[in-house]
Amino acid sequence: MTTSREISRDGLWGNNVALVQLLGLCPLLAVTSTVVNGIGLGLATLITLVLSNTIVSLIRDFVRKEVRLPVFVLIIASVVTIIELSMQALFYDLYLVLGIFIPLIVTNCAIIGRAEGFASRNPVGPAALDGLMMGLGFLVVLALLGALREIIGFGTLFANAELMFGDGAQTLTIEFNEDYPGFLLAVLPPGAFFGLALLIVIKNWLDLRPQEKQEIIEPVPETV
Amino acid sequence: MIAISRRQILISGIFLWLFAVAGTTLVALTEYSSREAIIENERQVLLRNLYALLPRDKLDNDLAEDILELPASPLLGTDAASIVYRARLAGEPVAAIFNSIAPNGYNGKIHLLVGIYSNGKLAGVRVVKHAETPGLGDAVEVRKSPWIKSFDSKSLTDPGPSGWRVKRDDGEFDQFTGATITPRAVVAAVRNTLLYYQQNASMIFN
C-alpha cells in the first residue's frame, strides 16, 4: 500500500510524467510557446488524469484482463471528448488556441500508463490522488517550459491571460522590454527540446547533489 | 496461449459493449447540452471578426445571416465554394466581406477576410488563419503588427497596378524584416479579391 505522501512525491518529482517518464512529449513540446497555453493544456490533462484514474479504479474489479485496455481507451476518449466540448462551450477563445491539441490528450501515453500501472491496482482514493499529482507534475513542467520559452522568445510573461481568466486578467501580462526583438529559436519546436532538456538537467542536478556529499564522506572509513 | 472459455469471451464482449454504450451516451449528452453555447460562441467570434472590418453604424442588417455562396474562383484563391457576407443600410448595399485565400504563403495557405465597400475601396483586411513563421511572417496578424491596416481604404486605382506589390518589388506595401514571401502573398491575394469584386459586383448585390 503506497502512502499519500509517496504518491504525491512520485507524481510531482520522483516519477514526474514529463521530466522522468518523458511521456506526453507531443502536446508538451507543441503547446508550450507561452505560459498561458502551457497552463491551459496542463489543466485539461490534469482533469483527464483525475477522471480517468477514478473511473478505472472504480471498475477495476469488474474489468476482465483481456478487455481492460480497450475499456481504458474508451474511458479516456470519452473523458477527453467531454472536456473538449465543455471547453468549446465555456472557454471558446482558449479553445481556438489549444483546440487542436485537446484531442491529442487521448494519445498522451501518461494517461493510459497511469490507468494501467496504478489506477487499475489501487482503491479510488489513492488512484484519484495519483491522477491529481501526476497531472500537477505535468502542469508545472508545462507552465515552467512555457514561461521559459515566452520570456526568451517574446520577452513577455502571461500574454493572452485573458483567454483563460477573463478580461480582468489582461493586466497580468508582463512586458519586460518593449523593443525586445524576440528570439525565434525559443518559439519554434527546437526551443521546446532545448527548454525541456534544460529542465531535466536542473532536476537531475538537484537529485544528484545530496549523493555527491555522501560519496565524499563514504570513502574516508575505507582508507583507515 | 491461455485458453479462454466461450462464456468468458461472451462476458468480456458484453462488458466492452456496455462501456461503449455508456461512453457514447455521456459524450452525446454533453454534445447535446453544449451545442447551443458552441454555435453561439462561433457566431460571436465570426461577428467580432466581421465588425472589426466594418463599423457597426454603417449597416443595419444581420451580417452573419445575409450571405451568398460563391463558386470556387482562382481570384479568390478558393478551390471550393466560399461565403461572402453582405452589409446593407436601409436595403442599400454598403460593403461585402469575402473569405479569400492567399495560396502562396511561406507555409501554406493564408486565410483572409477582405471587406470591400460598394465603391470599390477596401474597408479592411484581417488574417483569420495561417501557419506562417511565428515572430516573422505572423506579423500579418493584427494583434502582432498594424501592417494589415495599411490596406484600409486602398482600391484598384489607389495605388495603381504597379503599386500593388511589396516595396522590394517596387510596390507600395512594406515587407517585414526577414519575411517577404508572406506579405507578398497577402498583397497579391487582396488585389485579386478586389479584381473579383470589380468583375462580380452586380452579381453579389443582386
Side-chain angles (χ1 to χ4, degrees):
Chain A
M1 190 60 215
T2 18
T3 66
S4 320
R5 226 188 124 92
E6 280 167 2
I7 293 173
S8 310
R9 218 189 133 69
D10 245 21
L12 293 176
W13 189 261
N15 201 15
N16 186 293
V17 173
L19 295 181
V20 180
Q21 304 182 51
L22 294 180
L23 292 177
L25 290 190
C26 166
L28 179 108
L29 297 169
V31 182
T32 53
S33 52
T34 67
V35 192
V36 172
N37 287 3
I39 295 177
L41 188 84
L43 281 176
T45 310
L46 176 98
I47 297 168
T48 313
L49 261 170
V50 173
L51 288 179
S52 70
N53 263 15
T54 308
I55 299 171
V56 165
S57 174
L58 279 173
I59 57 149
R60 72 185 187 283
D61 292 332
F62 312 109
V63 192
R64 302 193 65 87
K65 235 177 72 204
E66 312 82 61
V67 290
R68 69 183 194 288
L69 286 179
V71 169
F72 294 166
V73 171
L74 239 158
I75 291 171
I76 296 167
S78 306
V79 167
V80 169
T81 313
I82 288 170
I83 290 177
E84 187 186 6
L85 287 168
S86 315
M87 204 166 160
Q88 259 179 296
L90 299 172
F91 304 105
Y92 192 74
D93 284 312
L94 189 67
Y95 173 79
L96 291 179
V97 180
L98 294 178
I100 52 167
F101 300 109
I102 300 294
L104 278 183
I105 296 177
V106 179
T107 66
N108 189 336
C109 330
I111 292 166
I112 194 139
R114 293 326 285 172
E116 164 76 2
F118 193 92
S120 65
R121 290 155 203 196
N122 287 283
V124 179
L129 183 70
D130 179 73
L132 181 70
M133 288 305 161
M134 285 288 163
L136 267 181
F138 192 58
L139 170 69
V140 169
V141 174
L142 280 169
L144 276 179
L145 191 53
L148 195 71
R149 293 176 68 191
E150 189 178 342
I151 292 172
I152 299 174
F154 297 111
T156 61
L157 203 55
F158 294 110
N160 300 328
E162 70 275 8
L163 295 185
M164 193 161 18
F165 306 112
D167 282 336
Q170 221 150 3
T171 50
L172 266 177
T173 306
I174 306 164
E175 199 164 351
F176 296 105
N177 179 358
E178 281 225 1
D179 301 322
Y180 188 69
F183 186 58
L184 192 57
L185 187 68
V187 183
L188 293 175
F193 281 102
F194 289 133
L196 182 66
L198 190 67
L199 291 180
I200 294 174
V201 165
I202 294 173
K203 185 203 174 277
N204 288 347
W205 179 69
L206 287 174
D207 277 343
L208 286 172
R209 261 193 326 172
Q211 285 171 15
E212 277 170 18
K213 275 179 204 156
Q214 283 172 356
E215 277 166 8
I216 299 166
I217 301 164
E218 272 168 10
V220 180
E222 281 175 345
T223 52
V224 172
Chain B
M1 190 63 202
I2 309 156
I4 308 168
S5 78
R6 201 174 261 215
R7 189 165 163 272
Q8 278 174 319
I9 295 175
L10 198 66
I11 292 176
S12 296
I14 291 174
F15 190 82
L16 198 55
W17 179 79
L18 279 176
F19 257 88
V21 170
T24 314
T25 311
L26 275 177
V27 170
L29 282 176
T30 315
E31 199 275 335
Y32 181 75
S33 59
S34 60
R35 188 187 302 155
E36 273 181 26
I38 293 172
I39 292 173
E40 179 58 24
N41 281 338
E42 283 169 351
R43 195 183 134 82
Q44 287 304 326
V45 169
L46 174 66
L47 281 177
R48 203 198 305 156
N49 285 336
L50 294 177
Y51 281 120
L53 299 176
L54 283 178
R56 273 166 203 263
D57 53 359
K58 288 213 172 142
L59 60 139
D60 59 1
N61 64 333
D62 187 344
L63 257 184
E65 295 297 324
D66 195 347
I67 57 174
L68 185 71
E69 206 168 88
L70 300 176
S73 147
L75 280 180
L76 292 176
T78 49
D79 41 25
S82 70
I83 285 178
V84 59
Y85 306 92
R86 297 176 291 188
R88 302 171 200 266
L89 186 62
E92 288 298 307
V94 174
I97 301 181
F98 293 87
N99 278 299
S100 57
I101 296 174
N104 47 352
Y106 187 68
N107 214 354
K109 293 178 174 179
I110 304 170
H111 293 249
L112 304 166
L113 274 179
V114 181
I116 303 174
Y117 286 121
S118 48
N119 63 7
K121 279 193 172 184
L122 279 168
V125 182
R126 288 293 179 276
V127 171
V128 280
K129 200 169 119 192
H130 73 87
E132 300 303 293
T133 319
L136 293 174
D138 69 348
V140 290
E141 279 177 44
V142 72
R143 61 193 185 102
K144 301 259 163 75
S145 151
W147 178 81
I148 199 81
K149 291 186 177 165
S150 62
F151 289 109
D152 291 3
S153 66
K154 293 283 193 295
S155 68
L156 280 177
T157 50
D158 166 35
S162 62
W164 275 96
R165 295 177 191 150
V166 292
K167 282 187 177 152
R168 179 173 291 173
D169 304 337
D170 303 317
E172 276 219 353
F173 296 93
D174 284 325
Q175 61 263 354
F176 314 135
T177 323
T180 315
I181 294 173
T182 309
R184 195 183 272 154
V186 173
V187 169
V190 172
R191 177 161 190 269
N192 284 338
T193 310
L194 282 167
L195 283 171
Y196 182 90
Y197 177 76
Q198 193 183 43
Q199 293 166 14
N200 299 284
S202 55
M203 180 265 286
I204 287 159
F205 290 110
N206 57 352

